[in-house]
Amino acid sequence: MKKLTIIIPCYNEEEVIRESYRRTKQVMLSLPIPSAIIYINDGSQDKTRFLLNEIADSDPQVKVIHFSRNFGHQPAVTAGINHCTSDFAIIMDADLQDPPELIPQILALQEQEQANVVYCVRKSREGDHFFKRFTARLFYRVMNSMSEIKFPFDTGDFRLIDRKIMNEFGRLKERGKYIRGLISWIGFKQVPFYYKHEARIAGKTKYPFSKMLRFGSNAVLYFSNKPLKLAMSLGFTAVVIGLILATWFTLGKIYGFNKAESGWTSIVSMIVFFGGVQLLTIGVLGQYIGVLFNEIKARPEYIIEEERNFDV
Ligand code: UDP
Ligand code: MG
């Protein structure tokens, strides 16, 4: 019989863990197939660690991985996938924004379509305030116009993946993993499942603007070299403008239609403009060099301090 694992990353989620477990467990008991949970404690500083251990002690179907520090959401999900041995995995957030009650429908859709991935699309985003909704919408549209492969809009990491996907995922060697992008990239049969994204039941988002920015720029840097091409087009445009201006000024000198003394403003603005163009293009280059630097160091994506219930 096939088995399901639910992968849940947690960072400082003491307010939601118990309720999250209660609702997830209730759904698990009603499933037609055996299931387990892997919680990844991503270096929480609050009582998350204690609460997860307590749950694991009372329920052998709950496995827990404790990281040595906070490595981030994507490394936490990666650890969950790497530790999963079952036929299906569902990736979910701890805060119940992705309702566990949808799991039976997701499994049914997988069965019906014989899909390798069921990705959940947010048809409404209850809990998110205007700014998050706006930046997320913008992000997925910009991302799609930049990347060589197309991603479904308005999805998070909430999705079901099967063994085939997990095996291929395990072969991906890059350290800066943009998981929803990589799963799209792997291919096979992927079908959407539409749902209502709920509000967080308690606590606040663990994705402050700085983390969101890092997450977004990582996605762009790993999935697109358009910024590099854009930098080059910018340089090219600057060269063309420079040539036109040089010709214009030279002819002006020869035929006397240009008074050179009056050029102060144009010179200063051009120095600033081209200085800006240069710094910008160097900056773009620098971003990609940063990615190369990180990948070449080849450090592990996460460090595990302790694992619980993996031997049962
Ligand atoms: N999370 C994590 N490590 C982090 C940040 C977040 O494991 O550094 C987890 C968090 O506990 C939650 C999920 O990732 O289960 C999504 O985070 P959150 O709900 O705060 O993000 P939002 O829904 O606001 O985008
Ligand atoms: Mg959330």
Side-chain angles (χ1 to χ4, degrees), residues 244-291:
I244 294 172
L245 285 177
T247 316
W248 173 254
F249 289 141
T250 314
L251 290 179
K253 260 269 190 296
I254 295 170
Y255 297 106
F257 57 79
N258 176 25
K259 299 268 171 286
E261 297 78 45
S262 65
W264 192 87
T265 318
S266 60
I267 285 175
V268 168
S269 30
M270 258 158 40
I271 288 174
V272 172
F273 177 71
F274 291 114
V277 167
Q278 283 172 19
L279 288 177
L280 202 74
T281 47
I282 293 171
V284 171
L285 268 180
Q287 289 294 314
Y288 282 90
I289 291 174
V291 165

Side-chain angles (χ1 to χ4, degrees), residues 152-208:
F153 285 172
D154 306 320
T155 59
D157 284 326
F158 184 28
R159 61 190 64 215
L160 173 144
I161 54 181
D162 74 351
R163 179 78 349 241
K164 224 173 186 172
I165 299 285
M166 285 186 264
N167 290 345
E168 295 305 329
F169 187 85
R171 299 205 304 140
L172 302 172
K173 293 286 174 278
E174 66 201 88
R175 271 129 239 289
K177 287 199 172 71
Y178 175 58
I179 293 173
R180 58 199 76 166
L182 288 170
I183 292 177
S184 280
W185 177 88
I186 289 173
F188 298 116
K189 184 163 187 191
Q190 312 211 359
V191 299
F193 173 85
Y194 296 91
Y195 79 111
K196 190 168 135 239
H197 195 54
E198 300 287 340
R200 206 175 223 287
I201 53 160
K204 51 179 193 292
T205 176
K206 305 302 176 305
Y207 259 102

Side-chain angles (χ1 to χ4, degrees), residues 11-303:
Y11 176 55
N12 291 343
E13 299 286 11
E14 62 182 4
E15 292 108 320
V16 304
I17 287 291
R18 277 213 178 95
E19 177 64 7
S20 179
Y21 167 70
R22 193 190 63 77
R23 272 177 54 185
T24 311
K25 184 73 191 178
Q26 209 165 33
V27 173
M28 284 164 69
L29 292 173
S30 73
L31 292 178
I33 58 173
S35 57
I37 305 180
I38 299 181
Y39 284 111
I40 304 93
N41 167 23
D42 184 13
S44 305
Q45 292 102 27
D46 64 358
K47 282 201 303 222
T48 300
R49 182 191 186 103
F50 170 79
L51 293 171
L52 287 178
N53 285 344
E54 201 179 64
I55 296 170
D57 286 344
S58 71
D59 183 351
Q61 297 320 325
V62 172
K63 299 162 202 300
V64 180
I65 300 170
H66 294 291
F67 278 1
S68 64
R69 64 169 173 83
N70 180 236
F71 281 91
H73 177 216
Q74 302 288 295
V77 174
T78 305
I81 297 175
N82 292 345
H83 277 71
C84 173
T85 52
S86 57
D87 312 270
F88 298 113
I90 288 184
I91 305 164
M92 242 173 54
D93 287 353
D95 56 7
L96 296 174
Q97 283 194 277
D98 313 324
E101 289 76 16
L102 298 175
I103 292 176
Q105 296 170 46
I106 296 171
L107 280 173
L109 185 63
Q110 187 286 325
E111 174 82 27
Q112 184 197 327
E113 299 274 339
Q114 287 299 305
N116 302 95
V117 177
V118 178
Y119 57 92
C120 302
V121 183
R122 300 162 179 179
K123 65 177 181 229
S124 78
R125 304 173 64 115
E126 270 317 284
D128 297 329
H129 49 79
F130 169 76
F131 182 68
K132 179 123 190 174
R133 280 208 299 258
F134 175 74
T135 48
R137 269 184 79 84
L138 189 71
F139 171 70
Y140 288 110
R141 274 141 194 90
V142 170
M143 192 61 210
N144 252 346
S145 68
M146 297 241 265
S147 164
E148 299 96 64
I149 65 157
K150 294 291 158 252
F151 304 113
F153 285 172
D154 306 320
T155 59
D157 284 326
F158 184 28
R159 61 190 64 215
L160 173 144
I161 54 181
D162 74 351
R163 179 78 349 241
K164 224 173 186 172
I165 299 285
M166 285 186 264
N167 290 345
E168 295 305 329
F169 187 85
R171 299 205 304 140
L172 302 172
K173 293 286 174 278
E174 66 201 88
R175 271 129 239 289
K177 287 199 172 71
Y178 175 58
I179 293 173
R180 58 199 76 166
L182 288 170
I183 292 177
S184 280
W185 177 88
I186 289 173
F188 298 116
K189 184 163 187 191
Q190 312 211 359
V191 299
F193 173 85
Y194 296 91
Y195 79 111
K196 190 168 135 239
H197 195 54
E198 300 287 340
R200 206 175 223 287
I201 53 160
K204 51 179 193 292
T205 176
K206 305 302 176 305
Y207 259 102
F209 189 64
S210 57
K211 265 191 188 169
M212 243 162 68
L213 211 59
R214 188 150 19 110
F215 177 75
S217 57
N218 236 16
V220 173
L221 290 170
Y222 274 83
F223 272 90
S224 166
N225 54 13
K226 281 242 171 97
L228 282 173
K229 290 183 184 155
L230 217 67
M232 215 170 92
S233 328
L234 212 61
F236 187 71
T237 315
V239 168
V240 171
I241 295 175
L243 281 177
I244 294 172
L245 285 177
T247 316
W248 173 254
F249 289 141
T250 314
L251 290 179
K253 260 269 190 296
I254 295 170
Y255 297 106
F257 57 79
N258 176 25
K259 299 268 171 286
E261 297 78 45
S262 65
W264 192 87
T265 318
S266 60
I267 285 175
V268 168
S269 30
M270 258 158 40
I271 288 174
V272 172
F273 177 71
F274 291 114
V277 167
Q278 283 172 19
L279 288 177
L280 202 74
T281 47
I282 293 171
V284 171
L285 268 180
Q287 289 294 314
Y288 282 90
I289 291 174
V291 165
L292 288 177
F293 182 53
N294 270 339
E295 294 294 320
I296 282 172
K297 282 187 289 187
R299 288 183 187 158
E301 288 155 85
Y302 51 82
I303 292 173

